[in-house]
Amino acid sequence: MLLNRPIPLSFLLGKIKFEVLAIFVFANVVFVLRHYVGMEILSIPIAIPALVGTCISLLLAFRTNQAYERWWEARVVWGGIVNESRTFIRQLLTFLDDSARLATIPTFARRQMGWCYLLGQTLRGQPTEQLVKTYIPQTEQSGILGSAHGPLAVLQNQAEQLRQIYQNDQLTDIQLAQLDATLTRLTDLMGRCERLKKTVFPRTYTFYLQVFIILFTAMLPFGFVENLFFLEVPLVTLVASAFFLIEKSAIQLQDPFENRPTDTPMTSIAAGIEESLNQLVGSPATIPQVPSSLFYTL
């Protein structure tokens, strides 16, 4: 996630460098043909590109809004994961007696921390073996590493341990039902993340918008009927680049789980959950080190 800090120009323009170069070259070709070859016929009323630009602006506004809604939904889902993870451990602390707390709750907490990290890494397509070895009990590691869906296997292990505690008469029927409801909500939140990950933004909409932007860019150099001379090329490049930059920004926002600076900060959120759960179970509340840069956090 981008932070409220200065963003390097290289990051902003790096995504459109080829488009900017193409615009600059094309604008120079039109400029040379009009002013040095004498092809003054290469001009159109400025109202034409202005009208096209206005239409594209409306489409871009809608496009950016839809992309942001996807990003924001992902952030809301992970906010729910924070709340439900804390609720799960807090319920265990409330329901179990002192002897059961010491024997089982630290295991539940470590497993829940691992689930949060594991879900984030799985959504990003990153390796998870080290996370499993760090947070999951050794007897469960092979089963999770060999499963087709690691995060789901971790939640099932949470449920299995709850069943064992219930069979030992350490939980009542109502308490078990409440804990199972919390695990159900965590499963639902995981499914919402997967829906966002697997639902592709309509490709045709992106393609048509890109075609319109290219059309606008191609018409723009011909619309400067006034003799601005050396200002024409910089102005054309600047105006057209702004449209490409907004469109690229929307593309980055629409996929919040792709291990990019604009991602939902799942690793940072999981680190916050770890700190909270450590506090609840009485473990050292150390703040995990999360890789970050000067202008974004993962």
Side-chain angles (χ1 to χ4, degrees):
M1 181 181 71
L2 296 178
L3 302 174
N4 189 22
R5 299 175 185 173
I7 301 175
L9 192 62
S10 59
F11 173 77
L12 294 175
L13 300 182
K15 302 298 182 182
I16 61 169
K17 55 187 176 182
F18 297 110
E19 288 86 348
V20 171
L21 180 61
I23 295 166
F24 182 77
V25 172
F26 179 74
N28 272 284
V29 169
V30 176
F31 175 80
V32 170
L33 291 176
R34 289 181 58 187
H35 294 281
Y36 292 96
V37 180
M39 300 181 66
E40 298 294 337
I41 195 174
L42 296 177
S43 62
I44 59 176
I46 190 64
I48 296 178
L51 179 61
V52 175
T54 301
C55 296
I56 294 175
S57 298
L58 296 175
L59 292 174
L60 278 175
F62 177 77
R63 175 79 163 81
T64 304
N65 184 62
Q66 294 300 309
Y68 180 77
E69 283 187 4
R70 282 170 61 95
W71 184 89
W72 180 244
E73 182 181 357
R75 183 60 187 87
V76 170
V77 169
W78 272 86
I81 289 174
V82 173
N83 297 337
E84 297 299 340
S85 296
R86 292 170 176 169
T87 298
F88 182 63
I89 302 304
R90 183 191 55 76
Q91 286 174 326
L92 287 169
L93 288 168
T94 303
F95 296 156
L96 298 179
D97 57 30
D98 292 339
S99 60
R101 286 184 184 182
L102 295 175
T104 60
I105 291 183
T107 302
F108 276 111
R110 293 291 293 177
R111 195 185 287 121
Q112 187 61 32
M113 298 171 197
W115 178 79
C116 295
Y117 284 113
L118 191 64
L119 177 60
Q121 291 294 89
T122 301
L123 290 170
R124 286 175 172 159
Q126 300 294 307
T128 59
E129 182 177 357
Q130 187 57 46
L131 289 173
V132 172
K133 292 180 178 179
T134 301
Y135 292 95
I136 305 302
Q138 189 173 4
T139 56
E140 304 172 8
Q141 292 177 7
S142 60
I144 292 174
L145 292 174
S147 65
H149 197 299
L152 181 60
V154 173
L155 286 182
Q156 183 58 33
N157 288 340
Q158 297 279 55
E160 288 293 335
Q161 190 171 2
L162 284 178
R163 181 174 61 84
Q164 293 173 6
I165 294 175
Y166 173 72
Q167 290 176 343
N168 293 334
D169 295 326
Q170 294 175 323
L171 287 173
T172 66
D173 293 344
I174 295 176
Q175 290 170 343
L176 179 65
Q178 291 179 339
L179 288 164
D180 184 71
T182 303
L183 289 180
T184 299
R185 290 192 296 270
L186 286 168
T187 305
D188 177 65
L189 292 168
M190 179 174 62
R192 291 174 63 184
C193 288
E194 293 169 344
R195 171 176 58 80
L196 285 170
K197 173 73 175 181
K198 295 179 181 179
T199 303
V200 180
F201 200 90
R203 185 67 185 90
T204 53
Y205 185 83
T206 301
F207 174 75
Y208 294 148
L209 184 56
Q210 289 173 341
V211 170
F212 292 147
I213 293 176
I214 293 173
L215 177 63
F216 167 75
T217 302
M219 291 191 300
L220 193 58
F222 301 104
F224 285 91
V225 293
E226 297 85 359
N227 188 7
L228 299 178
F229 211 60
F230 290 117
L231 288 178
E232 290 184 17
V233 173
L235 285 175
V236 169
T237 304
L238 181 64
V239 173
S241 297
F243 283 86
F244 279 108
L245 185 60
I246 295 173
E247 197 264 340
K248 292 291 185 181
S249 298
I251 290 177
Q252 289 184 324
L253 283 178
Q254 74 186 24
D255 297 316
F257 304 132
E258 298 299 326
N259 200 33
R260 295 186 298 213
T262 52
D263 265 11
T264 301
M266 296 180 288
T267 304
S268 298
I269 293 173
I273 293 173
E274 179 175 356
E275 183 183 9
S276 297
L277 299 190
N278 278 330
Q279 175 184 330
L280 285 173
V281 300
S283 298
T286 56
I287 301 177
Q289 297 296 318
V290 179
S292 64
S293 71
L294 294 177
F295 67 99
Y296 71 93
T297 180
L298 293 175

